Short mmCIF file of all heavy atoms in Angstrom, two decimals:
data_model
loop_
_atom_site.label_atom_id
_atom_site.label_comp_id
_atom_site.label_asym_id
_atom_site.label_seq_id
_atom_site.Cartn_x
_atom_site.Cartn_y
_atom_site.Cartn_z
N PRO A 25 49.98 68.07 141.72
CA PRO A 25 51.44 67.80 142.11
C PRO A 25 51.61 66.89 143.32
O PRO A 25 50.66 66.98 144.21
CB PRO A 25 51.96 69.20 142.39
CG PRO A 25 50.62 70.02 142.71
CD PRO A 25 49.54 69.46 141.98
N VAL A 26 52.46 66.09 143.24
CA VAL A 26 52.60 65.09 144.29
C VAL A 26 53.98 65.25 144.99
O VAL A 26 54.90 65.33 144.41
CB VAL A 26 52.60 63.59 143.74
CG1 VAL A 26 52.88 62.60 144.73
CG2 VAL A 26 51.11 63.40 143.14
N VAL A 27 54.06 65.26 146.31
CA VAL A 27 55.09 65.27 147.06
C VAL A 27 55.25 63.90 147.85
O VAL A 27 54.25 63.46 148.62
CB VAL A 27 55.09 66.30 148.16
CG1 VAL A 27 56.31 66.32 149.02
CG2 VAL A 27 55.01 67.75 147.55
N GLY A 28 56.27 63.18 147.50
CA GLY A 28 56.29 61.80 147.97
C GLY A 28 55.45 60.84 147.19
O GLY A 28 55.69 60.58 146.03
N ARG A 29 54.30 60.29 147.75
CA ARG A 29 53.58 59.22 147.05
C ARG A 29 52.25 59.87 146.79
O ARG A 29 51.74 60.67 147.36
CB ARG A 29 53.56 57.94 147.95
CG ARG A 29 52.52 58.09 149.04
CD ARG A 29 52.74 57.03 150.00
NE ARG A 29 51.49 56.95 151.05
CZ ARG A 29 51.45 57.68 152.09
NH1 ARG A 29 52.30 58.64 152.17
NH2 ARG A 29 50.35 57.48 152.94
N ALA A 30 51.64 59.40 145.69
CA ALA A 30 50.25 59.56 145.42
C ALA A 30 49.42 58.63 146.03
O ALA A 30 49.42 57.42 145.75
CB ALA A 30 50.07 59.59 143.85
N ARG A 31 48.46 59.04 146.82
CA ARG A 31 47.58 58.29 147.63
C ARG A 31 46.11 58.19 146.93
O ARG A 31 45.49 59.19 146.66
CB ARG A 31 47.36 58.74 149.05
CG ARG A 31 48.65 58.86 149.78
CD ARG A 31 48.43 60.03 150.92
NE ARG A 31 48.11 61.33 150.36
CZ ARG A 31 47.64 62.35 151.08
NH1 ARG A 31 47.41 62.24 152.34
NH2 ARG A 31 47.37 63.44 150.42
N VAL A 32 45.82 56.97 146.39
CA VAL A 32 44.62 56.85 145.57
C VAL A 32 43.68 55.84 146.18
O VAL A 32 44.08 54.72 146.63
CB VAL A 32 45.01 56.34 144.19
CG1 VAL A 32 43.79 56.17 143.22
CG2 VAL A 32 46.12 57.22 143.53
N TYR A 33 42.41 56.10 146.24
CA TYR A 33 41.42 55.34 146.74
C TYR A 33 40.29 55.09 145.75
O TYR A 33 39.80 56.10 145.13
CB TYR A 33 40.81 55.91 147.97
CG TYR A 33 39.66 55.05 148.61
CD1 TYR A 33 39.96 54.11 149.48
CD2 TYR A 33 38.38 55.20 148.24
CE1 TYR A 33 39.01 53.29 150.28
CE2 TYR A 33 37.40 54.50 148.91
CZ TYR A 33 37.67 53.55 149.85
OH TYR A 33 36.75 52.75 150.45
N VAL A 34 39.88 53.89 145.43
CA VAL A 34 38.81 53.78 144.47
C VAL A 34 37.79 52.80 145.24
O VAL A 34 38.05 51.84 145.87
CB VAL A 34 39.21 52.89 143.13
CG1 VAL A 34 39.96 51.55 143.50
CG2 VAL A 34 38.16 52.73 142.13
N CYS A 35 36.44 53.15 144.94
CA CYS A 35 35.29 52.41 145.50
C CYS A 35 35.29 51.11 144.88
O CYS A 35 35.20 51.02 143.53
CB CYS A 35 34.06 53.23 145.30
SG CYS A 35 33.80 54.69 146.46
N GLY A 36 35.42 50.06 145.66
CA GLY A 36 35.49 48.58 145.14
C GLY A 36 34.02 48.13 145.03
O GLY A 36 33.01 48.78 145.19
N ILE A 37 33.95 46.83 144.87
CA ILE A 37 32.72 46.15 144.55
C ILE A 37 31.94 45.88 145.88
O ILE A 37 32.53 45.79 147.00
CB ILE A 37 32.89 44.85 143.86
CG1 ILE A 37 33.80 43.84 144.62
CG2 ILE A 37 33.38 45.05 142.47
CD1 ILE A 37 33.70 42.44 144.13
N THR A 38 30.61 45.67 145.75
CA THR A 38 29.91 45.05 146.75
C THR A 38 29.80 43.55 146.37
O THR A 38 29.28 43.32 145.19
CB THR A 38 28.47 45.74 146.84
OG1 THR A 38 28.58 47.04 147.09
CG2 THR A 38 27.58 45.05 147.81
N PRO A 39 30.37 42.55 147.10
CA PRO A 39 30.57 41.27 146.48
C PRO A 39 29.27 40.34 146.55
O PRO A 39 29.32 39.37 147.42
CB PRO A 39 31.61 40.80 147.34
CG PRO A 39 31.60 41.42 148.68
CD PRO A 39 30.96 42.86 148.38
N TYR A 40 28.33 40.56 145.63
CA TYR A 40 27.24 39.81 145.67
C TYR A 40 26.85 39.51 144.13
O TYR A 40 25.94 38.73 143.91
CB TYR A 40 25.98 40.33 146.34
CG TYR A 40 25.39 41.65 145.85
CD1 TYR A 40 24.23 41.26 144.97
CD2 TYR A 40 25.84 42.87 145.96
CE1 TYR A 40 23.61 42.53 144.27
CE2 TYR A 40 25.28 43.87 145.45
CZ TYR A 40 24.17 43.73 144.65
OH TYR A 40 23.55 44.80 143.98
N ALA A 41 27.56 40.03 143.15
CA ALA A 41 27.23 39.79 141.79
C ALA A 41 28.48 39.68 140.89
O ALA A 41 29.56 40.25 141.37
CB ALA A 41 26.35 40.86 141.31
N VAL A 42 28.41 39.06 139.82
CA VAL A 42 29.53 38.91 138.90
C VAL A 42 29.89 40.24 138.37
O VAL A 42 29.14 41.05 138.00
CB VAL A 42 29.11 37.90 137.82
CG1 VAL A 42 30.33 37.70 136.80
CG2 VAL A 42 28.80 36.62 138.37
N THR A 43 31.21 40.50 138.02
CA THR A 43 31.71 41.75 137.45
C THR A 43 31.36 42.04 136.16
O THR A 43 31.55 41.04 135.24
CB THR A 43 33.30 41.69 137.52
OG1 THR A 43 33.70 41.30 139.06
CG2 THR A 43 33.92 42.93 137.22
N HIS A 44 30.74 43.18 135.89
CA HIS A 44 30.29 43.47 134.61
C HIS A 44 31.22 44.69 133.86
O HIS A 44 32.13 45.16 134.65
CB HIS A 44 28.87 43.91 134.51
CG HIS A 44 28.42 45.05 135.31
ND1 HIS A 44 28.81 46.22 134.93
CD2 HIS A 44 27.73 45.12 136.53
CE1 HIS A 44 28.22 47.29 135.90
NE2 HIS A 44 27.61 46.45 136.69
N LEU A 45 30.97 44.98 132.56
CA LEU A 45 31.78 46.02 131.94
C LEU A 45 31.79 47.33 132.60
O LEU A 45 32.84 48.03 132.54
CB LEU A 45 31.37 46.04 130.49
CG LEU A 45 32.32 46.77 129.63
CD1 LEU A 45 33.64 46.13 129.47
CD2 LEU A 45 31.62 46.84 128.16
N GLY A 46 30.71 47.71 133.27
CA GLY A 46 30.63 48.99 133.78
C GLY A 46 31.63 48.99 135.10
O GLY A 46 32.23 50.06 135.35
N HIS A 47 31.65 47.88 135.95
CA HIS A 47 32.72 47.96 137.00
C HIS A 47 34.05 47.93 136.31
O HIS A 47 34.89 48.72 136.82
CB HIS A 47 32.54 46.58 137.73
CG HIS A 47 31.23 46.30 138.43
ND1 HIS A 47 30.57 45.07 138.48
CD2 HIS A 47 30.49 47.27 139.21
CE1 HIS A 47 29.57 45.17 139.17
NE2 HIS A 47 29.45 46.43 139.61
N ALA A 48 34.31 47.08 135.43
CA ALA A 48 35.65 47.00 134.82
C ALA A 48 36.17 48.37 134.25
O ALA A 48 37.32 48.64 134.38
CB ALA A 48 35.67 46.02 133.53
N ALA A 49 35.29 49.11 133.67
CA ALA A 49 35.71 50.40 133.07
C ALA A 49 36.35 51.27 134.24
O ALA A 49 37.43 52.05 133.97
CB ALA A 49 34.52 51.10 132.38
N THR A 50 35.63 51.36 135.40
CA THR A 50 36.17 52.14 136.53
C THR A 50 37.48 51.71 136.89
O THR A 50 38.49 52.52 137.09
CB THR A 50 35.18 52.08 137.61
OG1 THR A 50 33.98 52.81 137.34
CG2 THR A 50 35.82 52.87 138.91
N TYR A 51 37.65 50.44 136.96
CA TYR A 51 39.02 49.86 137.48
C TYR A 51 39.97 49.92 136.44
O TYR A 51 41.26 50.10 136.82
CB TYR A 51 38.78 48.54 138.13
CG TYR A 51 37.81 48.41 139.20
CD1 TYR A 51 36.70 47.58 139.02
CD2 TYR A 51 37.82 49.24 140.19
CE1 TYR A 51 35.60 47.58 139.99
CE2 TYR A 51 36.81 49.34 141.14
CZ TYR A 51 35.81 48.49 141.10
OH TYR A 51 34.80 48.45 141.94
N LEU A 52 39.59 49.92 135.18
CA LEU A 52 40.70 50.15 134.15
C LEU A 52 41.16 51.58 134.14
O LEU A 52 42.37 51.78 133.94
CB LEU A 52 40.08 49.79 132.74
CG LEU A 52 40.02 48.26 132.50
CD1 LEU A 52 39.00 47.97 131.22
CD2 LEU A 52 41.35 47.60 132.34
N TRP A 53 40.19 52.55 134.37
CA TRP A 53 40.68 53.91 134.42
C TRP A 53 41.69 54.25 135.60
O TRP A 53 42.53 54.93 135.57
CB TRP A 53 39.56 54.86 134.44
CG TRP A 53 39.04 55.16 132.97
CD1 TRP A 53 37.74 54.63 132.46
CD2 TRP A 53 39.70 55.83 131.87
NE1 TRP A 53 37.57 55.05 131.19
CE2 TRP A 53 38.82 55.76 130.86
CE3 TRP A 53 40.83 56.52 131.73
CZ2 TRP A 53 39.20 56.40 129.49
CZ3 TRP A 53 41.24 57.06 130.64
CH2 TRP A 53 40.36 57.00 129.39
N THR A 54 41.33 53.51 136.72
CA THR A 54 42.15 53.56 137.87
C THR A 54 43.41 53.06 137.66
O THR A 54 44.53 53.61 137.99
CB THR A 54 41.52 52.80 139.09
OG1 THR A 54 40.12 53.26 139.28
CG2 THR A 54 42.37 52.90 140.35
N ASP A 55 43.56 51.90 136.99
CA ASP A 55 44.77 51.23 136.66
C ASP A 55 45.54 52.13 135.74
O ASP A 55 46.84 52.32 135.87
CB ASP A 55 44.45 49.96 135.96
CG ASP A 55 45.68 49.06 135.69
OD1 ASP A 55 46.32 48.65 136.65
OD2 ASP A 55 45.95 48.73 134.48
N LEU A 56 44.94 52.73 134.77
CA LEU A 56 45.68 53.54 133.77
C LEU A 56 46.19 54.72 134.44
O LEU A 56 47.40 55.16 134.21
CB LEU A 56 44.83 54.03 132.59
CG LEU A 56 45.48 55.02 131.73
CD1 LEU A 56 46.66 54.37 131.00
CD2 LEU A 56 44.44 55.58 130.72
N THR A 57 45.54 55.33 135.42
CA THR A 57 46.02 56.58 136.15
C THR A 57 47.26 56.19 136.89
O THR A 57 48.23 56.95 136.92
CB THR A 57 45.01 57.10 137.21
OG1 THR A 57 43.72 57.42 136.33
CG2 THR A 57 45.34 58.24 137.84
N ALA A 58 47.23 55.06 137.52
CA ALA A 58 48.40 54.59 138.37
C ALA A 58 49.56 54.33 137.43
O ALA A 58 50.67 54.79 137.81
CB ALA A 58 48.02 53.37 139.12
N ARG A 59 49.30 53.77 136.27
CA ARG A 59 50.45 53.41 135.36
C ARG A 59 51.06 54.73 134.75
O ARG A 59 52.27 54.82 134.64
CB ARG A 59 49.89 52.60 134.19
CG ARG A 59 49.54 51.16 134.55
CD ARG A 59 48.83 50.48 133.41
NE ARG A 59 48.53 49.05 133.74
CZ ARG A 59 49.26 48.02 133.30
NH1 ARG A 59 50.36 48.26 132.55
NH2 ARG A 59 48.91 46.83 133.66
#
């Protein structure tokens, strides 16, 4: 249950390699949850 806003934090990338599907899956599920 949320009062006011939902505060969401997702662990982002370590920026030294190109984005692969494993990364994308995490951020897609984060995106879906927010939607």
Side-chain angles (χ1 to χ4, degrees):
V26 174
V27 177
R29 74 196 192 285
R31 302 155 301 165
V32 182
Y33 180 89
V34 58
C35 285
I37 59 163
T38 302
Y40 71 96
V42 179
T43 305
H44 62 72
L45 190 62
H47 296 141
T50 293
Y51 304 124
L52 284 167
W53 281 110
T54 306
D55 186 62
L56 177 62
T57 304
R59 288 170 179 265

